[in-house]
Amino acid sequence: MHQRTQIQVLAKRLEREPRKFIQVIYGPRQVGKTTLVNQFLENTGLPYYYISADAVPAGQGSWIEQQWTIARMKLKNSGSSEGLLIIDEVQKIENWSETVKKEWDADSLKNVNLKVVLLGSSRLLLQKGLSESLAGRYEKIYMGHWSFSEMNKAFGLNVRQYVWYGGYPGPVSLMDDEERWKSYVAESLIETSISKDILMLTRVDKPALLRRLFELGCHYSGQILSFTKILGQLQDAGNTTTLANYLHALDTAGLLKGIEKFGPEIIRQRASSPKFQVHNTALMSAQQSKSFSYVESNPEIWGRWVESAVGAHLLNYSLTEKYKLYFWRHRNAEIDFVIERDEQVVGLEVKSGMAHKAPGMNAFRKKYNPHKIYLVGNTGIPWEEFLLINPVELF
């Protein structure tokens, strides 16, 4: 079975280092967080206690205390000097971070060598307690959507299949039945992420609006759209601040991001119209009535998927490689993506077809004198090869 690279980090911290930090594994749904932990547990010699809070009512705050007590008993009965407690979907429990802090500090005071791993879906987990109650007590391990190289190595997907079916390992076995695959992604991934990772953890006064915003954002992935124009396509839309907050929630759940405009003025960046970008192209395809073969055979439509695949590739790596992702547009000149790291700026223009004219590249170069600027497409870096590289190699 394919192992993601994060398992090496987890093994090092749990088996070869003393108890010092709670290990927090987080990321979108169905990217392999639980599978990774199970792979580690199959090969570790440490006694462990694994439990999931997925089906526990949110109000049962004492549940964590009970599980912690069981884990301490198992460690004591094992005769081992150290053990593991793994709590999956911990964010479901009300005031979970305060309880975890209390129990962790109690073990530290009594020299109980119980190492702790917490798993949670989306970056909302961090916002809901880690930075407040557990500051200084944890380390993060982020697991994002699967890259093309991972999906190719694990399941043999070719690059065009990856652009359409995206980086979700779970529904790969359903690819031969496209309608069944779309239903699975829509019901088990999209709806579950929205209902459990956003609506249960964040105040959303208009859930129907959030869902409609997501659908609209997927449809316009790769395109710049002002909130004012969005309001014109939505009923009962409220105001632009509400939409911006909902878009941020969708981003933290690993679904849809509004990329900001590049520019030296931070206020202007945040006030600009966002460029919609899915975290995973499967989210676009699952809501598309047309088939893979139809979209692939229509260059103009297919180009949208290719650009979104490139954007998702850049977006997911930005979360692990710590660079910033923008777009740029000034009048009729536009650059699809801009990445910035350590004050170095790189511009990227995506052309999936034979067209090679990209006037925005010259305008961007003249205005900002970037470190480097690339054309991703047939006359530059082939987009098929671009999806295999780590974007930090571009700096």
Side-chain angles (χ1 to χ4, degrees), residues 32-297:
K33 299 183 296 295
T34 303
T35 299
L36 179 128
V37 168
N38 286 332
Q39 289 173 337
F40 167 77
L41 294 177
E42 288 175 1
N43 295 294
T44 186
L46 296 173
Y48 64 86
Y49 179 53
Y50 170 89
I51 192 70
S52 175
D54 200 27
V56 180
Q60 293 192 9
S62 62
W63 180 85
I64 292 178
E65 295 179 2
Q66 297 169 9
Q67 307 311 315
W68 215 292
T69 299
I70 295 172
R72 290 183 182 122
M73 292 173 56
K74 284 182 172 291
L75 172 59
K76 183 177 180 180
N77 294 335
S78 71
S80 176
S81 60
E82 58 182 357
L84 304 175
L85 168 62
I86 302 98
I87 306 178
D88 205 345
E89 297 292 348
V90 68
Q91 80 276 2
K92 299 293 179 61
I93 304 300
E94 187 175 349
N95 297 322
W96 64 269
S97 59
E98 296 175 7
T99 306
V100 168
K101 176 181 180 293
K102 179 170 72 74
E103 299 300 328
W104 174 264
D105 288 352
D107 283 350
S108 299
L109 184 65
K110 297 177 182 178
N111 294 316
V112 177
N113 199 7
L114 186 63
K115 299 177 178 179
V116 177
V117 180
L118 306 178
L119 289 81
S121 299
S122 89
R123 285 170 284 156
L124 287 173
L125 172 66
L126 298 183
Q127 298 172 354
K128 287 291 180 179
L130 288 180
S131 59
E132 299 171 3
S133 302
L134 296 172
R137 294 174 174 83
Y138 70 94
E139 289 181 298
K140 299 179 292 183
I141 300 176
Y142 178 72
M143 293 185 65
H145 295 282
W146 287 43
S147 66
F148 167 55
S149 58
E150 288 182 296
M151 293 296 284
N152 175 260
K153 182 178 180 181
F155 305 107
L157 264 68
N158 63 46
V159 69
R160 300 181 82 83
Q161 288 175 318
Y162 177 76
V163 167
W164 180 258
Y165 292 105
Y168 282 120
V172 166
S173 61
L174 305 178
M175 282 170 41
D176 290 339
D177 187 340
E178 195 169 325
E179 289 306 312
R180 188 178 174 191
W181 176 88
K182 288 180 178 179
S183 296
Y184 179 91
V185 173
E187 297 166 10
S188 298
L189 294 173
I190 295 174
E191 179 55 33
T192 304
S193 294
I194 290 175
S195 61
K196 291 191 175 183
D197 295 335
I198 297 178
L199 300 183
M200 284 182 61
L201 299 176
T202 309
R203 177 177 173 176
V204 176
D205 294 327
K206 299 178 179 180
L209 173 62
L210 182 139
R211 286 187 167 90
R212 181 66 183 127
L213 175 64
F214 171 71
E215 293 169 1
L216 200 63
C218 289
H219 180 74
Y220 286 104
S221 181
Q223 298 183 49
I224 303 163
L225 202 62
S226 71
F227 284 125
T228 303
K229 287 186 177 179
I230 298 171
L231 287 169
Q233 298 193 40
L234 298 173
Q235 294 181 344
D236 190 29
N239 55 47
T240 58
T241 301
T242 300
L243 292 180
N245 289 337
Y246 287 178
L247 187 56
H248 176 70
L250 290 165
D251 179 32
T252 60
L255 296 173
L256 178 73
K257 182 176 180 63
I259 300 176
E260 295 176 347
K261 179 182 177 181
F262 176 78
E265 305 88 356
I266 298 298
I267 294 177
R268 286 186 62 187
Q269 288 177 9
R270 293 175 178 171
S272 67
S273 302
K275 179 174 185 174
F276 284 127
Q277 175 60 57
V278 291
H279 282 253
N280 191 321
T281 50
L283 303 171
M284 295 171 61
S285 304
Q287 300 179 82
Q288 172 59 239
S289 59
K290 302 292 193 298
S291 67
F292 173 31
S293 59
Y294 178 88
V295 171
E296 186 187 23
S297 63

Side-chain angles (χ1 to χ4, degrees), residues 274-327:
K275 179 174 185 174
F276 284 127
Q277 175 60 57
V278 291
H279 282 253
N280 191 321
T281 50
L283 303 171
M284 295 171 61
S285 304
Q287 300 179 82
Q288 172 59 239
S289 59
K290 302 292 193 298
S291 67
F292 173 31
S293 59
Y294 178 88
V295 171
E296 186 187 23
S297 63
N298 286 266
E300 185 175 342
I301 305 175
W302 179 244
R304 286 186 48 228
W305 259 259
V306 171
E307 182 178 334
S308 285
V310 170
H313 184 68
L314 291 167
L315 175 56
N316 288 306
Y317 267 99
S318 73
L319 297 171
T320 56
E321 300 294 347
K322 308 303 180 186
Y323 59 78
K324 296 177 181 179
L325 176 64
Y326 304 102
F327 75 94

